Amino acid sequence: MNVEIPEKEIREKLSLFGQDHILKYLEIISPDEQKALLKDVSEIDFEQLLARYQSYLRTLTAPPEKKVFDAADILAPPFSTSVYSRGEDYLRRGSVGIFLVAGGQGTRLGVKGPKGCYPVSPVRQKSLFQLFAESIRALQRRYETRFSWYIMTSRENHEDTCGFFRRNNFFGLSSDQIRFIVQREIPSLDRDGKLILSPEKLVFKNPDGHGGSIRALRESGALEDMRQKGIEEIFYFQVDNPLAKIADPLFIGAHVEHHAEMSTKVVKKTDPSEKVGIIGKINGRLGCIEYSELTPEEIQGRKADGTLRFSSANSAIHLIRRSFVETLTSTNNFSLPYHSALKDIECLTEKEGLLVPDIVKGLKFEMFIFDALGFTKNSVAMEVSREEEFSPVKNRAGVDSPETAQHAMINLYTRWLKESGKISQIPAGLIMEVSPLYALDAAEFREKFNPPSSLSSPLYLGP
Ligand code: UTP
């Protein structure tokens, strides 16, 4: 259907909202490009755009909002076996859906294409997507069920992500159990609040952040699909953590037992100055305290028992009750708060009547998933072992890089080897990888592992 674009109205809106430079661009591009740009502009909610810009301006001029931070209650081991069994029941009866957010731009890692395609495993160089798919297959085998896997992409990486799965035959999963959903994009602005022209001569936009996943679930129909399939709990995780324990029964059990709407796994900070978000209370409500928001005294602050007061780092692994997302998104135009960041943006600008490539400092607006915690009545923050469950790939080198993630994987698998008690001496510097299809945890490893007559590096244990 060819929908007529109300050109006059759009032009007036551009003028009204101080975006006259776009009118100038329209004069120097071809008729087809004009049409595409006008259509793009017609989809902008200018009132919201202005509100986001004004709230950015307030952060520059107004004194920072006074916030009172407090530590959150953290659930820590030991857990009763009934919690684990409760989680297993949920898995067996198909009440848990798996939700991976993979729409980010991965600028810090700096490789082309979706981050999930990054070859991360230490021996076979399996991609993050493959490792997750193998874990899901292993869970299906264990719980004799079939999981629905929802993967959030962005406009930019959607085709590449789907293509990667297709080329790899969905890593042994069935194509109809995986659903790709595309998150929304938000126009970026320059520091003066002006729209930016992308190299494709469209409005420059950025994905709306991992917090955009909440409305993407609704808008894509995934939420309704979950309802029809009887999925009650959504296991949310992020693409950069190869150690993520997908649909961990203990976490599910604890979350359900506490009637939580949204829960979080936390790991202990490596040291007080680690630059991570902390799960804690902000003005009495649960949330994620940004590292930069804490004073040096708060960062170093200790409890009576000598432990750090703000030590529970956010692992970005959540369980979210489906009905909670339904409630949140039941009002039109639901959004979490927007956070803005200044980034270099490749664009086109006008010089002497011509459009030329340029780079401007632009504001990208994003929502963060952890802000949904503030809407909960009940929530569990469960502490888990960083060594076993958290090693994100964020940067090209140094901390949180492919190298540290590979080390973490090797350390975990060699620990399983040691704990199996079946090997008297582990060769120094052993490089080792265990497919999730071989073992999902230390107990399964111990049961399966048949020691070879000699162990040589690299060691791969697969299906
Ligand atoms: P990050 O905050 O690490 O962002 O995302 P990023 O875009 O991947 O990397 P940088 O900051 O550009 O280097 C954490 C998780 O949230 C997802 C990412 O794919 C990753 O799984 N994410 C982030 C989205 O799905 N959409 C977004 O808009 C942003």
Side-chain angles (χ1 to χ4, degrees), residues 186-401:
I186 308 248
S188 308
L189 294 172
D190 72 11
R191 275 190 281 203
D192 298 320
K194 306 281 182 215
L195 290 167
I196 297 166
L197 193 66
S198 76
E200 297 79 30
K201 299 183 186 156
L202 296 169
V203 174
F204 186 95
K205 299 180 195 136
N206 62 273
D208 61 356
H210 39 70
S213 59
I214 295 283
R215 69 176 171 205
L217 283 174
R218 161 77 74 172
E219 289 174 348
S220 64
L223 205 55
E224 175 55 22
D225 186 60
M226 289 175 180
R227 197 186 60 75
Q228 284 176 15
K229 292 192 167 119
I231 292 170
E232 291 167 39
E233 302 295 343
I234 305 169
F235 176 81
Y236 166 106
F237 69 118
Q238 303 192 334
V239 78
D240 48 30
N241 181 14
L243 294 190
K245 222 183 229 180
I246 298 174
D248 171 14
L250 192 64
F251 188 37
I252 298 167
H255 167 82
V256 171
E257 252 182 26
H258 285 78
H259 307 287
E261 290 107 346
M262 175 168 172
S263 296
T264 312
K265 278 191 173 180
V266 297
V267 294
K268 272 225 157 54
K269 254 187 178 181
T270 47
D271 72 276
S273 56
E274 192 194 2
K275 292 191 168 77
V276 280
I278 296 295
I279 295 297
K281 289 196 177 142
I282 307 170
N283 297 338
R285 292 207 73 84
L286 198 65
C288 184
I289 308 168
E290 308 252 9
Y291 173 81
S292 55
E293 293 183 296
L294 293 172
T295 62
E297 293 71 38
E298 284 171 325
I299 287 174
Q300 299 293 341
R302 298 203 173 252
K303 296 192 253 185
D305 63 3
T307 57
L308 274 185
R309 186 156 161 246
F310 296 109
S311 64
S312 302
N314 179 16
S315 73
I317 296 171
H318 301 288
L319 270 163
I320 311 174
R321 199 194 287 164
R322 173 183 48 80
S323 60
F324 176 63
V325 183
E326 285 170 351
T327 309
L328 282 182
T329 56
S330 60
T331 53
N332 267 347
N333 262 331
F334 164 81
S335 82
L336 293 169
Y338 282 96
H339 300 250
S340 59
L342 262 185
K343 302 261 171 85
D344 284 336
I345 294 179
E346 283 183 37
C347 62
L348 294 175
T349 47
E350 186 261 342
K351 272 207 181 86
E352 295 164 5
L354 288 176
L355 287 174
V356 293
D358 199 358
I359 293 180
V360 294
K361 278 262 176 251
L363 289 165
K364 290 189 176 180
F365 297 95
E366 288 189 327
M367 290 181 275
F368 295 157
I369 187 72
F370 49 72
D371 282 328
L373 288 170
F375 293 87
T376 57
K377 286 194 210 73
N378 298 310
S379 176
V380 166
M382 185 172 128
E383 185 174 306
V384 296
S385 148
R386 179 187 281 255
E387 288 70 29
E388 287 178 23
E389 306 202 21
F390 186 62
S391 187
V393 177
K394 297 277 186 198
N395 306 307
R396 190 191 287 260
V399 285
D400 295 343
S401 63

Side-chain angles (χ1 to χ4, degrees), residues 101-108 152 183 207 209-210 238-240 394:
V101 295
Q105 297 176 301
T107 24
R108 284 170 288 171
M152 186 173 86
Q183 68 182 116
H210 39 70
Q238 303 192 334
V239 78
D240 48 30
K394 297 277 186 198

Side-chain angles (χ1 to χ4, degrees), residues 84-123:
Y84 194 86
S85 315
R86 184 117 187 233
E88 288 200 303
D89 284 348
Y90 264 69
L91 292 173
R92 249 182 233 111
R93 60 171 207 242
S95 304
V96 179
I98 295 166
F99 184 29
L100 171 67
V101 295
Q105 297 176 301
T107 24
R108 284 170 288 171
L109 185 61
V111 292
K112 265 186 104 60
K115 202 191 256 189
C117 306
Y118 190 86
V120 75
S121 77
V123 177

Side-chain angles (χ1 to χ4, degrees), residues 1-5 35:
M1 196 174 52
N2 212 347
V3 182
E4 203 53 43
I5 304 166
K35 224 172 165 181

